[in-house]
Short mmCIF file of all heavy atoms in Angstrom, two decimals:
data_model
loop_
_atom_site.label_atom_id
_atom_site.label_comp_id
_atom_site.label_asym_id
_atom_site.label_seq_id
_atom_site.Cartn_x
_atom_site.Cartn_y
_atom_site.Cartn_z
N LYS A 1 -137.16 -71.47 70.23
CA LYS A 1 -137.55 -72.32 71.37
C LYS A 1 -138.22 -71.47 72.45
O LYS A 1 -139.23 -71.88 73.04
CB LYS A 1 -136.32 -73.02 71.91
CG LYS A 1 -136.61 -74.04 73.04
CD LYS A 1 -137.48 -75.19 72.54
CE LYS A 1 -137.65 -76.26 73.57
NZ LYS A 1 -138.47 -77.37 73.12
N LEU A 2 -137.66 -70.31 72.74
CA LEU A 2 -138.26 -69.44 73.77
C LEU A 2 -139.65 -69.04 73.41
O LEU A 2 -140.55 -69.02 74.28
CB LEU A 2 -137.36 -68.20 73.97
CG LEU A 2 -136.09 -68.39 74.76
CD1 LEU A 2 -135.23 -67.12 74.70
CD2 LEU A 2 -136.38 -68.75 76.24
N THR A 3 -139.90 -68.70 72.16
CA THR A 3 -141.25 -68.32 71.77
C THR A 3 -142.26 -69.43 71.98
O THR A 3 -143.42 -69.18 72.34
CB THR A 3 -141.31 -67.84 70.30
OG1 THR A 3 -140.96 -68.90 69.43
CG2 THR A 3 -140.39 -66.67 70.07
N MET A 4 -141.80 -70.68 71.83
CA MET A 4 -142.69 -71.81 72.06
C MET A 4 -142.93 -72.04 73.56
O MET A 4 -143.95 -72.59 73.97
CB MET A 4 -142.14 -73.07 71.40
CG MET A 4 -142.13 -73.04 69.91
SD MET A 4 -141.67 -74.59 69.12
CE MET A 4 -139.93 -74.63 69.47
N LEU A 5 -142.00 -71.59 74.38
CA LEU A 5 -142.11 -71.78 75.83
C LEU A 5 -142.95 -70.71 76.50
O LEU A 5 -143.40 -70.90 77.65
CB LEU A 5 -140.70 -71.79 76.47
CG LEU A 5 -139.80 -72.99 76.18
CD1 LEU A 5 -138.45 -72.74 76.81
CD2 LEU A 5 -140.43 -74.27 76.70
N PHE A 6 -143.16 -69.57 75.83
CA PHE A 6 -143.86 -68.48 76.48
C PHE A 6 -145.24 -68.88 77.00
O PHE A 6 -145.69 -68.43 78.04
CB PHE A 6 -143.99 -67.28 75.52
CG PHE A 6 -142.69 -66.55 75.28
CD1 PHE A 6 -142.54 -65.76 74.15
CD2 PHE A 6 -141.62 -66.67 76.16
CE1 PHE A 6 -141.34 -65.11 73.88
CE2 PHE A 6 -140.41 -66.03 75.90
CZ PHE A 6 -140.30 -65.21 74.80
N GLY A 7 -145.88 -69.76 76.26
CA GLY A 7 -147.19 -70.22 76.70
C GLY A 7 -147.17 -71.12 77.91
O GLY A 7 -148.19 -71.35 78.54
N SER A 8 -145.99 -71.64 78.25
CA SER A 8 -145.84 -72.51 79.38
C SER A 8 -145.38 -71.79 80.65
O SER A 8 -145.27 -72.41 81.71
CB SER A 8 -144.81 -73.62 79.07
OG SER A 8 -145.19 -74.38 77.96
N LEU A 9 -145.11 -70.51 80.52
CA LEU A 9 -144.70 -69.73 81.69
C LEU A 9 -145.87 -69.63 82.68
O LEU A 9 -147.03 -69.66 82.26
CB LEU A 9 -144.27 -68.33 81.29
CG LEU A 9 -142.97 -68.21 80.47
CD1 LEU A 9 -142.80 -66.77 79.99
CD2 LEU A 9 -141.77 -68.65 81.30
N PRO A 10 -145.59 -69.52 83.96
CA PRO A 10 -146.69 -69.39 84.91
C PRO A 10 -147.50 -68.14 84.63
O PRO A 10 -146.97 -67.12 84.15
CB PRO A 10 -145.98 -69.31 86.26
CG PRO A 10 -144.57 -68.94 85.97
CD PRO A 10 -144.28 -69.52 84.63
N GLU A 11 -148.77 -68.21 84.92
CA GLU A 11 -149.64 -67.05 84.72
C GLU A 11 -149.11 -65.87 85.58
O GLU A 11 -148.86 -66.02 86.77
CB GLU A 11 -151.09 -67.37 85.12
CG GLU A 11 -152.06 -66.26 84.83
CD GLU A 11 -153.48 -66.66 85.14
OE1 GLU A 11 -153.72 -67.84 85.47
OE2 GLU A 11 -154.37 -65.78 85.06
N GLY A 12 -148.94 -64.73 84.94
CA GLY A 12 -148.38 -63.60 85.65
C GLY A 12 -146.93 -63.34 85.33
O GLY A 12 -146.31 -62.45 85.91
N ALA A 13 -146.33 -64.12 84.41
CA ALA A 13 -144.98 -63.89 83.93
C ALA A 13 -145.08 -63.42 82.49
O ALA A 13 -145.58 -64.13 81.63
CB ALA A 13 -144.14 -65.15 84.01
N TRP A 14 -144.64 -62.20 82.22
CA TRP A 14 -144.87 -61.51 80.96
C TRP A 14 -143.60 -61.32 80.19
O TRP A 14 -142.68 -60.59 80.64
CB TRP A 14 -145.53 -60.17 81.22
CG TRP A 14 -146.70 -60.25 82.11
CD1 TRP A 14 -146.73 -60.03 83.48
CD2 TRP A 14 -148.06 -60.56 81.78
NE1 TRP A 14 -147.97 -60.18 83.98
CE2 TRP A 14 -148.84 -60.55 82.97
CE3 TRP A 14 -148.69 -60.87 80.58
CZ2 TRP A 14 -150.20 -60.78 82.98
CZ3 TRP A 14 -150.05 -61.13 80.60
CH2 TRP A 14 -150.79 -61.09 81.78
N PRO A 15 -143.46 -61.92 79.00
CA PRO A 15 -142.21 -61.74 78.22
C PRO A 15 -142.09 -60.38 77.57
O PRO A 15 -143.08 -59.82 77.10
CB PRO A 15 -142.31 -62.85 77.17
CG PRO A 15 -143.44 -63.75 77.59
CD PRO A 15 -144.36 -62.89 78.37
N VAL A 16 -140.87 -59.89 77.51
CA VAL A 16 -140.50 -58.69 76.77
C VAL A 16 -139.27 -59.04 75.98
O VAL A 16 -138.27 -59.52 76.49
CB VAL A 16 -140.16 -57.51 77.71
CG1 VAL A 16 -139.89 -56.25 76.89
CG2 VAL A 16 -141.30 -57.27 78.69
N ALA A 17 -139.33 -58.83 74.66
CA ALA A 17 -138.17 -59.15 73.80
C ALA A 17 -137.55 -57.87 73.28
O ALA A 17 -138.25 -56.96 72.79
CB ALA A 17 -138.62 -60.02 72.62
N PHE A 18 -136.22 -57.80 73.38
CA PHE A 18 -135.49 -56.61 72.94
C PHE A 18 -134.82 -56.92 71.61
O PHE A 18 -134.06 -57.86 71.45
CB PHE A 18 -134.43 -56.21 73.95
CG PHE A 18 -135.00 -55.63 75.23
CD1 PHE A 18 -135.51 -56.44 76.23
CD2 PHE A 18 -135.08 -54.26 75.39
CE1 PHE A 18 -136.06 -55.90 77.38
CE2 PHE A 18 -135.61 -53.70 76.53
CZ PHE A 18 -136.11 -54.51 77.51
N SER A 19 -135.12 -56.04 70.64
CA SER A 19 -134.54 -56.19 69.31
C SER A 19 -134.41 -54.78 68.72
O SER A 19 -135.34 -53.97 68.84
CB SER A 19 -135.43 -57.05 68.43
OG SER A 19 -134.91 -57.12 67.11
N GLY A 20 -133.25 -54.50 68.10
CA GLY A 20 -133.06 -53.21 67.46
C GLY A 20 -133.13 -52.04 68.45
O GLY A 20 -133.50 -50.93 68.06
N GLY A 21 -132.79 -52.31 69.69
CA GLY A 21 -132.80 -51.25 70.69
C GLY A 21 -134.17 -50.95 71.24
O GLY A 21 -134.32 -50.00 72.03
N ARG A 22 -135.21 -51.73 70.90
CA ARG A 22 -136.55 -51.49 71.36
C ARG A 22 -137.06 -52.70 72.14
O ARG A 22 -136.63 -53.84 71.91
CB ARG A 22 -137.49 -51.19 70.20
CG ARG A 22 -137.19 -49.89 69.49
CD ARG A 22 -138.24 -49.64 68.42
NE ARG A 22 -138.02 -48.34 67.75
CZ ARG A 22 -138.86 -47.84 66.83
NH1 ARG A 22 -139.89 -48.53 66.42
NH2 ARG A 22 -138.58 -46.65 66.29
N ALA A 23 -138.03 -52.41 73.02
CA ALA A 23 -138.66 -53.49 73.82
C ALA A 23 -140.02 -53.83 73.20
O ALA A 23 -140.85 -52.93 72.94
CB ALA A 23 -138.85 -53.02 75.26
N HIS A 24 -140.26 -55.11 72.96
CA HIS A 24 -141.45 -55.53 72.26
C HIS A 24 -142.28 -56.50 73.13
O HIS A 24 -141.72 -57.33 73.83
CB HIS A 24 -141.07 -56.27 70.96
CG HIS A 24 -140.30 -55.43 70.01
ND1 HIS A 24 -138.93 -55.29 70.09
CD2 HIS A 24 -140.70 -54.69 68.93
CE1 HIS A 24 -138.51 -54.51 69.11
NE2 HIS A 24 -139.54 -54.12 68.41
N VAL A 25 -143.60 -56.33 73.07
CA VAL A 25 -144.54 -57.20 73.80
C VAL A 25 -145.68 -57.60 72.86
O VAL A 25 -145.93 -56.90 71.86
CB VAL A 25 -145.09 -56.51 75.08
CG1 VAL A 25 -144.00 -56.19 76.06
CG2 VAL A 25 -145.87 -55.24 74.71
N VAL A 26 -146.35 -58.67 73.21
CA VAL A 26 -147.53 -59.07 72.43
C VAL A 26 -148.81 -58.86 73.22
O VAL A 26 -149.91 -59.07 72.70
CB VAL A 26 -147.43 -60.53 71.93
CG1 VAL A 26 -146.26 -60.71 70.99
CG2 VAL A 26 -147.34 -61.51 73.10
N THR A 27 -148.69 -58.51 74.50
CA THR A 27 -149.84 -58.24 75.32
C THR A 27 -149.50 -57.12 76.29
O THR A 27 -148.38 -56.65 76.34
CB THR A 27 -150.26 -59.50 76.09
OG1 THR A 27 -151.50 -59.28 76.73
CG2 THR A 27 -149.22 -59.90 77.11
N GLU A 28 -150.46 -56.70 77.09
CA GLU A 28 -150.24 -55.66 78.06
C GLU A 28 -150.66 -56.16 79.43
O GLU A 28 -151.49 -57.05 79.57
CB GLU A 28 -151.05 -54.40 77.70
CG GLU A 28 -150.61 -53.74 76.40
CD GLU A 28 -151.43 -52.51 76.08
OE1 GLU A 28 -152.41 -52.20 76.86
OE2 GLU A 28 -151.14 -51.80 75.09
N SER A 29 -150.07 -55.59 80.46
CA SER A 29 -150.40 -55.93 81.84
C SER A 29 -149.96 -54.80 82.74
O SER A 29 -149.07 -54.01 82.37
CB SER A 29 -149.74 -57.24 82.26
OG SER A 29 -148.36 -57.03 82.54
N PRO A 30 -150.51 -54.67 83.93
CA PRO A 30 -150.01 -53.67 84.88
C PRO A 30 -148.54 -53.81 85.19
O PRO A 30 -147.83 -52.82 85.34
CB PRO A 30 -150.89 -53.89 86.12
CG PRO A 30 -152.17 -54.47 85.59
CD PRO A 30 -151.72 -55.36 84.43
N ALA A 31 -148.06 -55.06 85.32
CA ALA A 31 -146.64 -55.28 85.61
C ALA A 31 -145.78 -54.76 84.48
O ALA A 31 -144.71 -54.16 84.73
CB ALA A 31 -146.38 -56.77 85.84
N LEU A 32 -146.17 -54.97 83.26
CA LEU A 32 -145.40 -54.44 82.12
C LEU A 32 -145.43 -52.93 82.08
O LEU A 32 -144.39 -52.29 81.79
CB LEU A 32 -145.96 -55.03 80.82
CG LEU A 32 -145.69 -56.51 80.56
CD1 LEU A 32 -146.40 -56.97 79.29
CD2 LEU A 32 -144.18 -56.79 80.48
N ARG A 33 -146.59 -52.35 82.36
CA ARG A 33 -146.64 -50.88 82.36
C ARG A 33 -145.77 -50.29 83.47
O ARG A 33 -145.09 -49.27 83.27
CB ARG A 33 -148.10 -50.43 82.52
CG ARG A 33 -148.94 -50.65 81.27
CD ARG A 33 -150.27 -49.95 81.36
NE ARG A 33 -151.15 -50.54 82.37
CZ ARG A 33 -151.96 -51.54 82.15
NH1 ARG A 33 -152.03 -52.10 80.93
NH2 ARG A 33 -152.73 -52.03 83.13
N GLU A 34 -145.76 -50.93 84.62
CA GLU A 34 -144.91 -50.50 85.73
C GLU A 34 -143.44 -50.59 85.36
O GLU A 34 -142.65 -49.69 85.66
CB GLU A 34 -145.20 -51.30 86.97
CG GLU A 34 -144.39 -50.87 88.20
CD GLU A 34 -144.70 -51.70 89.42
OE1 GLU A 34 -145.69 -52.46 89.39
OE2 GLU A 34 -143.97 -51.60 90.41
N TYR A 35 -143.08 -51.70 84.69
CA TYR A 35 -141.70 -51.90 84.28
C TYR A 35 -141.29 -50.81 83.29
O TYR A 35 -140.22 -50.18 83.41
CB TYR A 35 -141.53 -53.28 83.64
CG TYR A 35 -140.32 -53.40 82.75
CD1 TYR A 35 -139.03 -53.32 83.28
CD2 TYR A 35 -140.49 -53.57 81.38
CE1 TYR A 35 -137.92 -53.41 82.44
CE2 TYR A 35 -139.37 -53.67 80.55
CZ TYR A 35 -138.10 -53.57 81.08
OH TYR A 35 -137.00 -53.66 80.24
N ALA A 36 -142.14 -50.54 82.28
CA ALA A 36 -141.82 -49.52 81.29
C ALA A 36 -141.69 -48.14 81.92
O ALA A 36 -140.80 -47.35 81.57
CB ALA A 36 -142.90 -49.51 80.20
N ASP A 37 -142.57 -47.85 82.88
CA ASP A 37 -142.53 -46.55 83.55
C ASP A 37 -141.26 -46.42 84.37
O ASP A 37 -140.59 -45.39 84.39
CB ASP A 37 -143.75 -46.38 84.46
CG ASP A 37 -143.72 -45.07 85.21
OD1 ASP A 37 -143.82 -44.03 84.57
OD2 ASP A 37 -143.58 -45.10 86.45
N ARG A 38 -140.87 -47.49 85.05
CA ARG A 38 -139.67 -47.44 85.86
C ARG A 38 -138.44 -47.20 85.04
O ARG A 38 -137.56 -46.43 85.40
CB ARG A 38 -139.52 -48.77 86.60
CG ARG A 38 -138.25 -48.85 87.41
CD ARG A 38 -137.85 -50.28 87.72
NE ARG A 38 -136.43 -50.30 88.00
CZ ARG A 38 -135.78 -51.40 88.37
NH1 ARG A 38 -136.42 -52.54 88.48
NH2 ARG A 38 -134.52 -51.38 88.59
N ASP A 39 -138.34 -47.85 83.85
CA ASP A 39 -137.17 -47.70 83.01
C ASP A 39 -137.27 -46.50 82.07
O ASP A 39 -136.29 -46.19 81.38
CB ASP A 39 -136.92 -48.98 82.22
CG ASP A 39 -136.06 -49.99 82.97
OD1 ASP A 39 -135.98 -49.88 84.20
OD2 ASP A 39 -135.47 -50.88 82.33
N GLY A 40 -138.44 -45.89 82.00
CA GLY A 40 -138.58 -44.73 81.13
C GLY A 40 -138.51 -45.13 79.66
O GLY A 40 -137.95 -44.39 78.82
N ILE A 41 -139.11 -46.27 79.30
CA ILE A 41 -139.06 -46.74 77.93
C ILE A 41 -140.48 -46.97 77.41
O ILE A 41 -141.43 -47.06 78.17
CB ILE A 41 -138.23 -48.03 77.77
CG1 ILE A 41 -138.87 -49.18 78.61
CG2 ILE A 41 -136.80 -47.79 78.16
CD1 ILE A 41 -138.23 -50.52 78.34
N ALA A 42 -140.60 -47.06 76.09
CA ALA A 42 -141.85 -47.43 75.46
C ALA A 42 -141.85 -48.92 75.13
O ALA A 42 -140.82 -49.47 74.76
CB ALA A 42 -142.06 -46.61 74.19
N LEU A 43 -142.98 -49.57 75.30
CA LEU A 43 -143.13 -50.95 74.91
C LEU A 43 -143.86 -50.98 73.56
O LEU A 43 -144.97 -50.49 73.45
CB LEU A 43 -143.92 -51.73 75.95
CG LEU A 43 -143.30 -51.84 77.33
CD1 LEU A 43 -144.21 -52.63 78.29
CD2 LEU A 43 -141.90 -52.49 77.29
#
């Protein structure tokens, strides 16, 4: 259900899904890069 809702999120809200200890994205954005840098993780 969440995957179907991602397209309805307001523009500028970027999903990140955690599975197997890793963070996954289907697109890139400055906000996502800033988040990854802050947490010291790879997307």
Side-chain angles (χ1 to χ4, degrees):
K1 185 64 174 180
L2 283 171
T3 61
M4 292 188 288
L5 291 175
F6 288 159
S8 302
L9 292 172
E11 185 176 354
W14 310 95
V16 183
F18 287 82
S19 177
R22 294 184 177 183
H24 301 83
V25 297
V26 297
T27 189
E28 296 180 354
S29 75
L32 288 175
R33 288 192 292 272
E34 181 181 349
Y35 160 66
D37 179 66
R38 176 201 158 176
D39 272 21
I41 61 172
L43 297 179

